[in-house]
Amino acid sequence: MDDALVIAGQIIRSRFLLGTGKFASYEIMRDAIIVSGAHIVTVALRRVDKGGRAENILDFVPKDCIVMANTSGARTADEAVRIARIAKAAGCGNWIKIEVINDNKFLLPDNQETIKATEILVKEGFMVMPYVSPNLQDAKRLKSAGAASIMPLGAPIGTNKGLTTRELVRILVEEIDLPIIVDAGLGQPSHAAEAMEMGCAAVLVNTAVATAQNPVIAAEAFGLAARAGRLAYLSAPREKSNQADASSPLTGFLR
Amino acid sequence: MSDSFYVVYEQYSKYDLAAFFQKVADRDVFGACSKENLTAEDLLTLLSPQAQLQLEPMAKRASALTIQYFGRVIFLYAPLYLSNLCDNECVYCGFKKSNNIERKQLSLAEVEEEAKAIAATGIKHILILTGESKIHTPLSYLKDSVSLLKNYFSSISLEIYPLEKNEYRELVDLGVDGLTIYQETYDEKLYQELHRGGAKSNFLYRLDTPERACRAKMRSVGVGALLGLAPFRREVFLTGLHARYLQDKYPDVEISVSLPRIQPQVSNFSPAHRLSDTDLVQALLALRLFLPRVGINLSTRENSHLRDNLIGLGVTRMSAGSKTFVGGYASKEVGECQFAVSDQRSAAEIKIAIRQKGCQPVMKDWQLI
């Protein structure tokens, strides 16, 4: 079955995306990327030390991966735009995950500022993947602005609580004709599988892999879970209305 | 919400801690340890003498929270002393005005020499420090220094005398992203005794300083008390409340806390309320549990053995290869230190120690934008 994930016209080999923060070493991070099969990895520009004297994170990302810089640290649309431009100049390519967070207590994204930054960066030729709280109207605005995908959170960053926003994400999957990639909050491979089973295009995980006792095994488990969830979705396409379909028709007596 | 932390301060500064601690039972400690959102009373419970007997479960929880929210990483920075000229008479400080030490303020050429020496170690985050002398070390000097340091570092923080909001704003616009300002002590009466005369004698002005920096859109702001001046439990309690007040009121600012213990200085000041290592660990764990997402800073005041063992228990940021005298990195001569450095290891040695603890030393965690 032809089941390629296509984002902005590019075929993506894996529906599992990996974040690169929080790892105990760049070597462990690299091994985790490889065994997970991730094709897209996110890297915070704030950690990139190109030309510096210390190790550069980008040197540990396998060459066949797409590096998607994120705008971690941006508090406003303006800061996100500036970070994206610096990332591009630093050789991170033009894939950008927009993260605008001005709430350090819960690390929840600011959707309005994210939409503003998306509008600007799409016009500048970036492949924009906005990280947002799941909200249908905002997702529609992001699609109109030219976002390449929508990345709703499953739960606040780093909480490992799973797909707590399930119903809101489900609405995005049904209503928005863009890849929906659950980002943040997935703490177990089963959470990743759950998101994929309901039709999400991909999942992005960082904390749960990087802080596991064995991050490399955890990365493989998440990669497999995303694949398993996808296969489960393909095996039984559901009614988009989400309503039950009784095996014996309730109105069969009318025939 | 109030306009000053002083309102919260007044509510809790006279709180009868002894009476509260008498009622704390082990089950209260375990309860506070396992909650997701801790109250002020929970923080006090974790700071109680009773809780000091339960440090292991607190440490397990603190370690898990730190790894969850910060990962297996330690951020490194280095302090850069620009000047030891000071108009204040803080009785505990090696730089106090009446101390007969060689006074020095770096020329811009010397600042650059220091910057080169620090940058050669791979450090990208710099903390610039001065004494308090607005005449000798005016804002214009600070701005010139910052402009120069931007060529060498990706993050520039301040630990200098308190400024007005618009002054902070000028420095933020220039590229400064962090401020550390210690209250020294949250005991107002003691504060007056320790800071007689000089600009620093205004307790309230200093208390509101972090807030002025937050309003000036400083990216990160750190608070703390100089531990040893007053009984630590109340100091750490109010430090925690101050940090939470700022975090609630300015959610766009990264708030951090420090736990500087007084070390012997040139002035031979002997702290009246010296903390044991156990006290320090309890303070660290209690703050981590109370403020799971707040950065916790540990300087080279502490020795290498203790610093290494505190990795993973809540500390997120450490200074490395520190010289605490003016001109300490490029000059071969040793000057008068503000405080004695216990952990004398180089940045390279500290990086190795952090790796041995299963963590990644992070040299760059911000980018001038």
Side-chain angles (χ1 to χ4, degrees):
Chain A
M1 181 186 290
D2 183 11
D3 181 42
L5 170 61
V6 179
I7 300 177
Q10 185 155 347
I11 294 173
I12 307 301
R13 289 196 308 274
S14 170
R15 292 176 181 272
F16 178 72
L17 285 62
L18 186 59
T20 55
K22 299 187 176 177
F23 282 93
S25 74
Y26 288 153
E27 289 81 5
I28 294 172
M29 176 199 84
R30 179 193 57 210
D31 293 349
I33 294 171
I34 292 169
V35 302
S36 74
H39 187 189
I40 296 177
V41 297
T42 57
V43 175
L45 174 74
R46 62 196 290 172
R47 294 278 170 88
V48 174
D49 190 11
K50 201 168 186 192
R53 289 169 188 272
E55 294 171 324
N56 184 5
I57 189 169
L58 295 179
D59 296 337
F60 291 81
V61 175
K63 296 285 173 259
D64 59 349
C65 287
I66 295 171
V67 171
M68 178 160 69
N70 72 43
T71 63
S72 166
R75 300 173 295 185
T76 62
D78 176 57
E79 289 184 352
V81 167
R82 278 191 274 161
I83 291 171
R85 289 172 184 159
I86 294 169
K88 196 172 191 174
C92 294
N94 67 343
W95 290 68
I96 192 87
K97 177 185 150 190
I98 301 184
E99 227 181 276
V100 181
I101 293 176
N102 42 41
D103 160 37
N104 283 292
K105 197 169 178 184
F106 301 105
L107 300 181
L108 292 170
D110 183 326
N111 283 9
Q112 282 198 23
E113 292 293 306
T114 304
I115 293 166
K116 273 193 235 169
T118 301
E119 287 167 348
I120 296 166
L121 290 170
V122 167
K123 284 180 190 152
E124 294 185 13
F126 283 90
M127 305 283 191
V128 179
M129 316 259 276
Y131 167 63
V132 287
S133 291
N135 175 293
L136 180 60
Q137 285 69 30
D138 289 343
K140 285 180 178 173
R141 290 183 187 108
L142 287 163
K143 183 172 183 333
S144 305
S149 75
I150 308 288
M151 305 183 83
L153 58 87
I157 294 177
T159 58
N160 293 337
K161 288 187 175 175
L163 197 56
T164 60
T165 55
R166 182 185 168 89
E167 194 56 21
L168 299 172
V169 170
R170 188 184 64 73
I171 291 170
L172 298 189
V173 169
E174 291 182 1
E175 300 296 326
I176 303 293
D177 186 20
L178 279 179
I180 304 298
I181 302 173
V182 172
D183 179 5
L186 303 181
Q188 305 285 342
S190 53
H191 299 154
E194 180 188 357
M196 297 305 296
E197 282 172 30
M198 66 185 251
C200 290
V203 291
L204 189 154
V205 176
N206 186 355
T207 300
V209 170
T211 67
Q213 282 293 322
N214 188 323
V216 179
I217 295 177
E220 185 173 9
F222 270 99
L224 290 170
R227 173 99 184 110
R230 181 64 185 177
L231 291 175
Y233 170 77
L234 294 174
S235 70
R238 266 142 267 207
E239 286 293 321
K240 284 204 168 182
S241 65
N242 207 32
Q243 287 172 357
D245 185 14
S247 50
S248 304
L250 300 178
T251 53
F253 67 93
L254 293 174
R255 281 179 199 153
Chain B
M1 191 173 267
S2 63
D3 281 340
S4 168
F5 173 64
Y6 196 68
V7 176
V8 181
Y9 173 82
E10 279 193 305
Q11 189 186 336
Y12 285 104
S13 61
K14 301 287 191 294
Y15 205 79
D16 187 348
L17 297 200
F20 181 90
F21 290 152
Q22 268 193 343
K23 292 180 189 156
V24 174
D26 279 349
R27 67 172 180 280
D28 300 320
V29 178
F30 295 131
C33 227
S34 55
K35 280 171 79 170
E36 195 163 343
N37 297 305
L38 277 69
T39 62
E41 285 69 27
D42 291 324
L43 173 59
L44 259 190
T45 299
L46 295 175
L47 286 168
S48 67
Q50 194 65 28
Q52 199 165 95
L53 306 172
Q54 304 296 345
L55 291 188
E56 191 56 30
M58 284 171 67
K60 287 199 168 83
R61 175 90 174 133
S63 175
L65 285 171
T66 306
I67 291 169
Q68 182 181 349
Y69 288 116
F70 293 89
R72 298 181 193 278
V73 298
I74 296 285
F75 305 108
L76 295 179
Y77 71 95
L80 168 55
Y81 282 76
L82 298 180
S83 169
N84 61 13
L85 292 157
C86 194
D87 300 333
N88 287 330
E89 276 298 343
C90 312
V91 298
Y92 46 82
C93 181
F95 288 173
K96 68 181 170 187
K97 190 178 179 185
S98 59
N99 238 12
N100 187 22
I101 60 167
E102 190 187 335
R103 299 288 166 173
K104 183 169 173 58
Q105 177 160 306
L106 297 180
S107 66
L108 285 180
E110 288 169 325
V111 172
E112 184 147 32
E113 288 307 306
E114 292 286 279
K116 282 179 185 165
I118 297 169
T121 68
I123 294 273
K124 302 290 280 186
H125 288 227
I126 195 87
L127 173 69
I128 58 178
L129 298 96
T130 66
E132 178 153 0
S133 179
K134 228 169 177 170
I135 297 168
H136 295 101
T137 320
L139 186 64
S140 57
Y141 171 81
L142 295 168
K143 288 170 75 174
D144 290 343
S145 299
V146 168
S147 297
L148 196 155
L149 292 167
K150 278 163 72 174
N151 300 323
Y152 295 90
F153 302 102
S154 65
S155 163
I156 301 171
S157 298
L158 309 171
E159 190 175 333
I160 60 168
Y161 56 87
L163 298 176
E164 291 295 324
K165 179 191 149 192
N166 60 336
E167 294 174 314
Y168 283 130
R169 189 65 210 223
E170 284 184 51
L171 290 164
V172 167
D173 288 344
L174 207 56
V176 167
D177 58 87
L179 174 79
T180 298
I181 182 90
Y182 299 145
Q183 186 58 30
E184 317 296 16
T185 174
Y186 284 93
D187 180 330
E188 190 169 2
K189 187 163 163 285
L190 178 67
Y191 183 94
Q192 304 298 353
E193 289 166 17
L194 295 173
H195 308 97
R196 292 183 185 283
K200 200 167 170 177
S201 62
N202 189 335
F203 178 82
L204 187 57
Y205 186 74
R206 194 164 184 95
L207 195 71
D208 287 340
T209 302
E211 193 152 2
R212 288 197 299 281
C214 290
R215 289 198 185 115
K217 294 290 169 198
M218 193 70 79
R219 181 168 291 280
S220 63
V221 170
V223 296
L226 192 48
L227 298 175
L229 297 174
F232 84 95
R233 292 190 160 89
R234 190 181 298 275
E235 298 283 52
V236 175
F237 177 53
L238 288 163
T239 300
L241 294 183
H242 199 175
R244 174 167 279 186
Y245 165 88
L246 294 168
Q247 190 183 52
D248 287 344
K249 195 166 174 186
Y250 303 96
D252 59 335
V253 182
E254 284 175 24
I255 304 299
S256 64
V257 294
S258 299
L259 293 163
R261 269 198 302 189
I262 293 184
Q263 303 289 346
Q265 289 107 15
V266 186
S267 56
N268 287 325
F269 176 77
S270 182
H273 302 276
R274 200 179 280 273
L275 281 76
S276 67
D277 287 356
T278 307
D279 294 338
L280 183 73
V281 169
Q282 184 182 12
L284 170 71
L285 300 177
L287 285 175
R288 168 53 68 230
L289 266 56
F290 184 60
L291 300 162
R293 293 183 197 260
V294 151
I296 301 182
N297 184 61
L298 193 69
S299 81
T300 54
R301 290 168 188 270
E302 303 299 342
N303 66 49
S304 55
H305 173 74
L306 187 64
R307 291 221 309 165
D308 289 356
N309 281 293
L310 292 181
I311 291 171
L313 287 192
V315 171
T316 55
R317 191 173 291 273
M318 286 179 152
S319 48
S322 301
K323 306 290 183 198
T324 62
F325 58 94
V326 180
Y329 296 94
S331 154
K332 289 194 171 58
E333 293 167 24
V334 177
E336 301 291 352
C337 296
Q338 190 193 22
F339 64 86
V341 172
S342 292
D343 186 348
Q344 305 249 10
R345 293 172 297 180
S346 67
E349 290 170 324
I350 287 175
K351 281 165 71 175
I352 291 168
I354 290 170
R355 287 203 179 96
Q356 282 171 347
K357 284 286 174 183
C359 284
Q360 181 181 182
V362 174
M363 312 294 267
K364 179 174 178 290
D365 186 44
W366 184 238
Q367 169 88 38
L368 288 162
I369 59 171

